[in-house]
Amino acid sequence: MPTVIFNFSDDRQQVVEAAAGQTLMQVAANHGLEGILGDCGGACQCATCHVYIDESWLDRLPEMDGMEDDMLEGVAAPRLAQSRLGCCVTLQAEHEGMAVTFPPTQI
Ligand code: FES
């Protein structure tokens, strides 16, 4: 059961428990975090689940596919090296303590 640290651009922080196999988008939505809308329900079609992953975690994430890469080209906030779509990042036990920041355009 990985713990995920969600950071908001106004310096709030929320630490939540996730279940292995859930995506970051599902975890945020299940906890009512307003930083993620997830309008498409996790189908990689809306980009409203854009997050910035703490750099120290980037090499432990699932590889980005072409669809996610394309969708990230259209996000409202700046696309950074640590940008991912929350619905494309499935958590595993080894992601315990992962830190994620919501773009300022989403809160
Ligand atoms: S929830 Fe729509 S792209 Fe992630």
Side-chain angles (χ1 to χ4, degrees):
M1 233 196 211
T3 301
V4 181
I5 303 164
F6 287 99
N7 296 299
F8 296 82
S9 59
D10 60 3
D11 292 332
R12 284 179 298 135
Q13 185 178 77
Q14 192 147 350
V15 180
V16 301
E17 294 292 327
Q22 289 183 310
T23 67
L24 281 173
M25 184 279 284
Q26 290 171 324
V27 174
N30 288 348
H31 287 84
L33 305 185
E34 70 269 32
I36 282 186
L37 296 176
D39 286 343
C40 74
C44 198
Q45 296 292 312
C46 71
T48 61
C49 62
H50 180 204
V51 292
Y52 299 128
I53 309 287
D54 188 276
E55 289 182 13
S56 65
W57 289 94
L58 292 178
D59 60 351
R60 287 173 273 181
L61 298 181
E63 196 166 323
M64 184 183 302
D65 65 19
M67 180 179 282
E68 182 183 4
D69 193 28
D70 287 347
M71 289 303 296
L72 281 167
E73 288 301 316
V75 291
R79 179 178 181 175
L80 306 178
Q82 63 266 41
S83 288
R84 293 295 302 259
L85 294 182
C87 67
C88 297
V89 177
T90 301
L91 296 167
Q92 304 300 333
E94 62 264 26
H95 294 130
E96 168 64 30
M98 179 187 286
V100 176
T101 300
F102 295 119
T105 52
Q106 289 172 212
I107 58 171

